[in-house]
Amino acid sequence: MYFFISAILAVLAFLEFYFNKRYFCRLFLVLCAGVMFFILLGFNSFSPDLDYYKLHFEDLDQDYIRFTVEPFILFLMETCKNAGLTFEGYQIVFSLITFSLFIISIFKYSPYPVFVLLNFYFIPFFPDITQIRFFLGFTVFLFSLQFFNKKKWIFYSFMLIAILCHLSMIMMLLFIFLRRFKFFKNQFKCNAIIFLGTFILAFTPKSIVNPILAYINPKLLMYAESDMVGTFMGTVMLFLPFFIINNGIIYFHNKYSEIYYPSIAETYRKHIQIFIDLIQFSNFLILFQYFIRDFSLFNQNINVLAVIYCSLIIYSFIAKKNVKSAKNILTSVIICNLILYYIQFLMVNNFKYFEIINKTFTSNNLFDSIVNIF
């Protein structure tokens, strides 16, 4: 099933490049791809955390749920339950909201949205289908970026909703704070800070770190246990491919933007700077993964912005009639994301985790219903 869906998305992406100048063809193709993702999430019947979310929905009236679930997710569950929906119905509503915002955002930011979705399918769709609260929060934040330059009050309103979907999205406030400093625009200075910070954290004794974590929040000690989540240096190694890709994009942006950007339509070009800043911020997140490993989800999801940026460069090369270079970039992006997929999910466990990934995508109430009909 995993490879079958990959093949369908690849065909849709190919058709997208062929019919790119026809708006309604692009719209139809991205809707086809979007419906596939909506079905995979909305009718999913197995994922590593699905029972956890189902328990939240069924025990909604219990006090412990109100203290552990973010306010917007709680509101969404209460609304669905009051409307008489089961957990399966809630999943469909959740998926509809999530992918409506996600597809609208991708379509608005990239001239090749299906190409972006193909790479999104490789990474980070699997962690997003299991960590659905984070995925909705990031999707709301992604949607909000279109308002960042001219309608700040709308941006911050959606930003608040994103935080109320998943509290980790408060890290995006740190992004807004950091991007105001001059050093943030300097690639060398940013990398120097990241290297120095990583070195210090890697060699800081647990006897110093653990009391600090316990003072801030005892729950952080759970994330710091090396026997549960692996060593920090192991986390750094998983982060390293993102760091290399991000730096390559930032370098290209700094050196060649004046050459290639004029051939990019304004509707896409106006978002480039905020994307570059987020890609730069993604590199800083390794410093926070020392404390909470799950922040790697930010690296994986911000990689979607890296793919969007590459789609704009492909668009620019095609506009300049340099189709060969466009094809080389397109192929390189797909290969890079397949390598990321291999490193993040397959390499560390000798492909055993692929069984869980395939089962997650195959276990689907809608697919089962169709099979039962025949």
Side-chain angles (χ1 to χ4, degrees), residues 36 135 146 149 163 208 227 337 350:
M36 290 178 58
F135 183 35
Q146 61 188 290
N149 291 323
I163 294 171
I208 296 176
D227 58 336
N337 279 282
N350 296 320

Side-chain angles (χ1 to χ4, degrees), residues 292-357:
I292 302 179
R293 303 297 194 264
D294 284 351
F295 278 180
S296 62
L297 284 170
F298 282 106
N299 295 125
Q300 294 175 9
N301 278 273
I302 291 175
N303 184 64
V304 174
L305 297 179
V307 175
I308 291 174
Y309 177 85
C310 291
S311 76
L312 295 177
I313 301 305
I314 293 170
Y315 175 87
S316 174
F317 274 112
I318 292 176
K320 289 178 173 291
K321 308 299 182 182
N322 192 346
V323 178
K324 183 178 180 180
S325 295
K327 288 181 179 179
N328 290 337
I329 296 174
L330 184 151
T331 304
S332 298
V333 171
I334 294 176
I335 291 173
C336 283
N337 279 282
L338 287 173
I339 292 172
L340 285 175
Y341 173 80
Y342 169 74
I343 293 173
Q344 297 294 309
F345 306 128
L346 304 180
M347 182 182 71
V348 294
N349 50 58
N350 296 320
F351 287 84
K352 293 180 181 179
Y353 205 58
F354 182 74
E355 297 177 8
I356 296 176
I357 295 174

